[in-house]
Amino acid sequence: AVLRNRSGCAEGADQLAAEAEARIATHASRVRKELEKELAGLPGPYAEPAGAVLLAFVEDKPAGCVALKPVQINGAGAERVCEMKRLWVRPEYQARGLGRALTQAALDLARELGYSAIVLDTMPRTMQAACALYRSMGFELLRGSYDSAANRLMDVGEMVYLRRELA
């Protein structure tokens, strides 16, 4: 089951995001600090009504998460675009379709919230499965990038930027 912002979600999201951070420990320490700051301020930019934190549960245990937040894209005018962040499924629950279910729930919610497109950034060298999932779900490569904290904190050469229209 994928649930949205119910009581107790912050703790589950905290745990899941911390595990995700640990799995990608090769990131620069400044990225880690930015994630810690983000976790301390949840829901922060993911707050409703413009954003959300979604959790997947297996047998009442938090198994995965994903988040949505509004994003401004230079030159996009009045277009409403959101960013999908922090997709994570605990290793013991991987290969069960939870990543796909969370991504689909994020797409459905983004449409429900009135967004016309969803963007994300990912690192194909370290997140091959996630990249394959995104491409299989209709995300297309973006030329260039969009403004996100990760872009400002990392060597953007490692990043790939994807977009999916929600029409």
Side-chain angles (χ1 to χ4, degrees):
V2 174
L3 302 174
R4 162 177 154 189
N5 291 3
R6 74 174 199 192
S7 63
C9 279
E11 181 179 326
D14 255 3
Q15 293 168 353
L16 291 163
E19 288 177 24
E21 188 272 335
R23 288 288 287 210
I24 50 179
T26 57
H27 288 322
S29 64
R30 57 194 168 156
V31 172
R32 198 170 299 117
K33 287 177 185 173
E34 184 68 23
L35 182 57
E36 288 170 1
K37 180 179 166 187
E38 184 178 292
L39 290 173
L42 278 176
Y46 308 110
E48 292 182 336
V53 175
L54 305 175
L55 298 180
F57 289 85
V58 174
E59 298 174 4
D60 295 324
K61 295 178 184 158
C65 63
V66 69
L68 290 177
K69 68 178 182 175
V71 65
Q72 291 293 322
I73 296 183
N74 296 333
E79 180 183 34
R80 289 198 68 219
V81 179
C82 66
E83 182 179 19
M84 187 173 95
K85 297 292 285 182
R86 311 296 178 224
L87 177 63
W88 172 249
V89 176
R90 285 182 163 157
E92 62 268 31
Y93 299 113
Q94 291 175 4
R96 296 184 187 193
L98 289 177
R100 181 172 296 278
L102 283 162
T103 302
Q104 187 60 56
L107 291 169
D108 294 343
L109 180 59
R111 233 181 254 106
E112 180 185 315
L113 293 174
Y115 290 107
S116 59
I118 187 168
V119 294
L120 61 85
D121 58 54
T122 189
M123 296 178 296
R125 282 186 264 167
T126 57
M127 299 178 174
Q128 297 94 347
C131 288
L133 171 68
Y134 302 143
R135 297 304 293 267
S136 77
M137 295 185 76
F139 284 86
E140 296 179 352
L141 189 62
L142 254 178
R143 300 286 177 230
S145 66
Y146 57 92
D147 184 36
S148 79
N151 295 350
R152 293 186 301 274
L153 293 170
M154 290 187 69
D155 170 10
V156 294
E158 294 181 22
M159 296 287 217
V160 170
Y161 306 94
L162 302 174
R163 177 183 174 113
R164 175 163 168 189
E165 301 300 319
L166 296 172

